[in-house]
Structure formats: structure tokens, C-alpha cells
């Protein structure tokens, strides 16, 4: 319970981070590449020093400071300071804070510098000399209005199901509304019945199904946009964070392969038809960037046999340890994806 509450609170910090960073995924991608710092303890000397630093920046300079330990997605550096420059641009400064100025950590300083270089000058991402930010040019389109409608109807009816373009099936469930209407036991039975009926209507009863559920997912994916920034009603965002309101999105594996193909990716599902993964991290999808995509990125041809695997469990599909699908389950196109270890950003392009 304690761990879950920490994740829910840190998701609020994540929403604030996305907001002040202009919803730019490249900053999040660069700054999340570190291990979680663990719980934040107010009695630690370092924590007190960080709080005093943030207060000082506002008191003396009127600069907003975001402490990274209040988030889950910002894991490199201790604080980010924002202030408006004279040229109209917002200046962003990363800080590694030490209560003892002589206790500098060279490894931490190098990771901080690499993160800054990655977002500003297309340098390598921290932790992997082969990884760089690449703008795929693929727009990220969603069906979030349909999600908003489903959540609103579920709040009144308890359960709401919908078919979504792209061969997807959506089910929204409001725990409080369902329990008040039917009681806890019958609410669970109606959930199962509604989901089975939805799969039949969406023709998802055969083949390998991929299912994403919002339940207990808050602050589990460092690149997953937090519920707090979704264009929903504040009460809906809060209910998603606290799991009083949940939704699932289901599709077939061949539909995912087809959608990847539309984005210029050659994809192959690795498991036999109808067989589900048996363990977290098991490879489920093989992904190769099409030659025309690489040429458009200025990377040249890919050597024969060079490819990377997409690993994941159910819909929590990852590419190089970064979720590319679970936060885009309602999207018409994939969110920004790393193409391959050999892909290079074109000079002058913007990272995404």
C-alpha cells in the first residue's frame, strides 16, 4: 500500500514535469534514464538541502524549481530550474545538488551533461553510447475524445464498452458507480460479461489478444504520459490515478503488426497464434525499420541481419526498454520510437 501511494503521489509530480517541459517527450526520455531514487525522506540532510535550494530560487530570483525526487520520470540530476530569458525563451537549468560541495560524483556529473547534450545538441543518451534521439516524423494521433465519452458514461452506468477504429475494443469501469448500482459481487460478474460481449462484437475472440489495462499502472512506465496531463475532467484524472476509474483497450496482435506497417516498420509477431507470453520481458515482437524510413532519416542502409527486438508482456511492449505502445493504445499512429541502434538524428532536426 505504501509503495502504491508513493507512485500515485509521484504521478502528480510527473504531470507537473510534463507540463513545465512543454509536453516534450525528448526531455523526459533523456532525464528518465537512471534507477529510481526510492522513497523521499524529509529527515535526510540532502533532501533538506534540495528544499532550501528550491525556496531560495523562488525567494531571490522568482524562478520555479522542480525537485526530481517528487517525480518518477526525472531521475538524472536533483532539480530543474526554469526562468524566462530576455529573448523571450525559457531557460532550463539542470542541477546536481550536494549538501557538501566537495562531495561531487563524477559519474553523476557526466550523466547530467549527457542528458543536456542529448536534448540540446543531439548527443548520445545517458547510459548507451549507441542511443540518440531521432524524430521519426510520425504524427501521434489518438482517440482520446472516445475515451472521455466512455469514462463519463461509465460514471453514470457503471460500465461502458466501445469499439475503437483500428480493431480496438475499449471498456471503462467505474468502481463506485458499479458497486452502488449492483453491489460488489454482481459488479465483478457484469464486468466479465461486458468484456466477453465486447470481444465478440469487436471480433477479438480468436488469435492472440493484446490488452492494456490502466489499473494500478500509475508511475510504472517512465515514458508513459501521466494521467494528470490527459485532456479529461480533473475528477476523471484523479480517479484514474487512484484506480477508482479504470479502462482496458484490447486488440489483436495482427492488428498491431498492420499498424506498424503503416508507419514504415516491418514487424513480425514471435509467438504462435493464440499463445500468450509466459514471463515479463519475453520477446513478443520483432521490429525492423523499413529501408525507406532509414533513408528519410539519413542513416543509410541497415546491414543484413541487423535488427532489434521489441520485448514486453501483453500490451506493455517496449523498444530498447522504453514503452512505445502501452501509452498509445488509443492512438492511430505510434508515439515517437527509437528506430534502431544505428539510427542517427539528422543535423538540424528536432528530437522527439
Amino acid at each position: 500500500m505504501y509503495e502504491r501511494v508513493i507512485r500515485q503521489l509521484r504521478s502528480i509530480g510527473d504531470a507537473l514535469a510534463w507540463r513545465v517541459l512543454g509536453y516534450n517527450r525528448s526531455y523526459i526520455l533523456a532525464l528518465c534514464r537512471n534507477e529510481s531514487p526510492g522513497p523521499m525522506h524529509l529527515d535526510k540532510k540532502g533532501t533538506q538541502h534540495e528544499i532550501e535550494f528550491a525556496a531560495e530560487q523562488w525567494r531571490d530570483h522568482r524562478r520555479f524549481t522542480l525537485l526530481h525526487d517528487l517525480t518518477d520520470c526525472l531521475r538524472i540530476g536533483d532539480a530543474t530550474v526554469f526562468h524566462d530569458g530576455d529573448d523571450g525563451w525559457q531557460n532550463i537549468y539542470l542541477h546536481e545538488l550536494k549538501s557538501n560541495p566537495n562531495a561531487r560524483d563524477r559519474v553523476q556529473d557526466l550523466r547530467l551533461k549527457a542528458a543536456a547534450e542529448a536534448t540540446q545538441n543531439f548527443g548520445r543518451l545517458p547510459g548507451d553510447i549507441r542511443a540518440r534521439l531521432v524524430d521519426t516524423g510520425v504524427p501521434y494521433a489518438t482517440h482520446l475524445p472516445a475515451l472521455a465519452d466512455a469514462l463519463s458514461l461509465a460514471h453514470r452506468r457503471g460500465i461502458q464498452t466501445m469499439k475503437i477504429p483500428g480493431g480496438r475494443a475499449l471498456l471503462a469501469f467505474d468502481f463506485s458507480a458499479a458497486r452502488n448500482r449492483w453491489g460488489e459481487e454482481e459488479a465483478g460478474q457484469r464486468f466479465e460479461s461486458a468484456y466477453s460481449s465486447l470481444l465478440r462484437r469487436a471480433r477479438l475472440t480468436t488469435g492472440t489478444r493484446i490488452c492494456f489495462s490502466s489499473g494500478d499502472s500509475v508511475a510504472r512506465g517512465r515514458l508513459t504520459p501521466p494521467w494528470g496531463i490527459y485532456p479529461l475532467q480533473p475528477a476523471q484524472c484523479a480517479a484514474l490515478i487512484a484506480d477508482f476509474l479504470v479502462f482496458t483497450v484490447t486488440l489483436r496482435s495482427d492488428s498491431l503488426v498492420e499498424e506498424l506497417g503503416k508507419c514504415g516498420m516491418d514487424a513480425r509477431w514471435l509467438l504462435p497464434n493464440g499463445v500468450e507470453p509466459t514471463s515479463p520481458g519475453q520477446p513478443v515482437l520483432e521490429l525492423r525499420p523499413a529501408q525507406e524510413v532509414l533513408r528519410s532519416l539519413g542513416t543509410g542502409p541497415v546491414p543484413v541481419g541487423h535488427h532489434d527486438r521489441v520485448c514486453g508482456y501483453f500490451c506493455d511492449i517496449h523498444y530498447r526498454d522504453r514503452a512505445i505502445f502501452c501509452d498509445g493504445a488509443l492512438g492511430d499512429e505510434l508515439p515517437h520510437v527509437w528506430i534502431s541502434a544505428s539510427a542517427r538524428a539528422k543535423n538540424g532536426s528536432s528530437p522527439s
Side-chain angles (χ1 to χ4, degrees):
M1 178 65 70
Y2 180 63
E3 179 269 343
R4 189 171 186 171
V5 170
I6 289 176
R7 285 192 288 108
Q8 291 174 346
L9 291 175
R10 276 185 164 158
S11 75
I12 306 300
D14 288 345
L16 186 57
W18 280 76
R19 171 66 180 85
V20 296
L21 291 170
Y23 308 103
N24 189 330
R25 188 182 296 260
S26 65
Y27 289 106
I28 307 296
L29 195 155
L31 293 173
C32 76
R33 297 171 59 80
N34 216 346
E35 295 299 320
S36 173
M40 185 179 187
H41 298 286
L42 294 178
D43 57 348
K44 290 175 58 177
K45 187 176 181 180
T47 301
Q48 291 297 327
H49 178 65
E50 293 172 12
I51 294 174
E52 291 169 3
F53 173 81
E56 177 186 291
Q57 288 294 316
W58 181 254
R59 182 183 62 247
D60 297 345
H61 309 290
R62 282 297 185 262
R63 296 173 181 174
F64 172 71
T65 301
L66 180 61
L67 299 182
H68 292 187
D69 279 357
L70 297 177
T71 77
D72 182 67
C73 63
L74 303 182
R75 300 186 176 188
I76 294 179
D78 294 317
T80 302
V81 179
F82 303 83
H83 69 93
D84 297 328
D86 296 334
D87 54 1
W89 289 84
Q90 185 181 60
N91 296 317
I92 301 175
Y93 294 95
L94 299 174
H95 292 265
E96 185 72 41
L97 303 175
K98 298 293 183 183
S99 55
N100 180 0
N102 298 321
R104 302 298 303 179
D105 187 316
R106 183 174 181 275
V107 174
Q108 290 180 337
D109 290 343
L110 289 175
R111 292 182 73 87
L112 192 69
K113 181 178 179 180
E117 285 291 317
T119 56
Q120 297 177 17
N121 302 314
F122 313 109
R124 69 174 182 86
L125 287 164
D128 189 343
I129 62 174
R130 303 168 300 172
R132 294 174 182 269
L133 292 168
V134 174
D135 186 347
T136 66
V138 178
Y140 185 26
T142 71
H143 295 285
L144 286 177
L147 175 62
D149 290 342
L151 296 179
S152 296
L153 292 171
H155 183 62
R156 297 201 299 267
R157 302 172 180 174
I159 301 174
Q160 182 64 40
T161 62
M162 288 184 179
K163 292 170 60 178
I164 303 296
R168 282 156 287 194
L170 168 65
L171 183 149
F173 184 79
D174 188 303
F175 280 94
S176 297
R179 186 170 54 246
N180 292 338
R181 184 174 182 181
W182 300 301
E184 188 170 341
E185 183 176 353
E186 184 178 351
Q189 295 171 351
R190 286 182 175 269
F191 178 94
E192 296 294 338
S193 176
Y195 185 60
S196 297
S197 176
L198 175 63
L199 294 181
R200 290 193 296 271
R201 287 192 291 115
R203 299 181 179 179
L204 294 173
T205 56
T206 60
T208 300
R209 292 194 299 270
I210 305 172
C211 181
F212 165 78
S213 173
S214 68
D216 196 28
S217 65
V218 64
R220 287 196 182 276
R222 290 170 287 179
L223 270 184
T224 304
W227 301 126
I229 68 169
Y230 272 57
L232 303 170
Q233 294 298 319
Q236 292 175 331
C237 294
L240 286 169
I241 292 171
D243 292 321
F244 287 109
L245 188 61
V246 298
F247 70 91
T248 65
V249 179
T250 307
L251 76 163
R252 286 166 48 119
S253 58
D254 51 1
S255 297
L256 172 60
V257 170
E258 181 181 349
E259 292 298 316
L260 286 166
K262 293 178 182 178
C263 297
M265 302 289 176
D266 295 329
R268 182 171 68 90
W269 192 256
L270 299 176
L271 301 179
N273 187 36
V275 175
E276 295 182 345
T278 57
S279 62
Q282 178 181 352
V284 296
L285 187 70
E286 187 176 67
L287 182 64
R288 298 170 183 260
Q291 295 293 338
E292 56 269 22
V293 173
L294 291 175
R295 282 195 293 269
S296 69
L297 291 170
T299 61
V302 178
V304 175
H306 180 90
H307 62 279
D308 295 298
R309 286 194 171 193
V310 180
C311 301
Y313 188 59
F314 291 99
C315 193
D316 190 14
I317 296 175
H318 293 70
Y319 188 71
R320 287 209 170 279
D321 299 323
R322 295 293 174 267
I324 64 169
F325 189 73
C326 66
D327 61 333
L330 292 172
D332 280 326
E333 306 287 356
L334 285 174
H336 302 294
V337 180
W338 293 355
I339 298 299
S340 77
S342 65
R344 301 186 302 274
K346 295 170 67 176
N347 291 333
S349 63
S350 60
S352 298

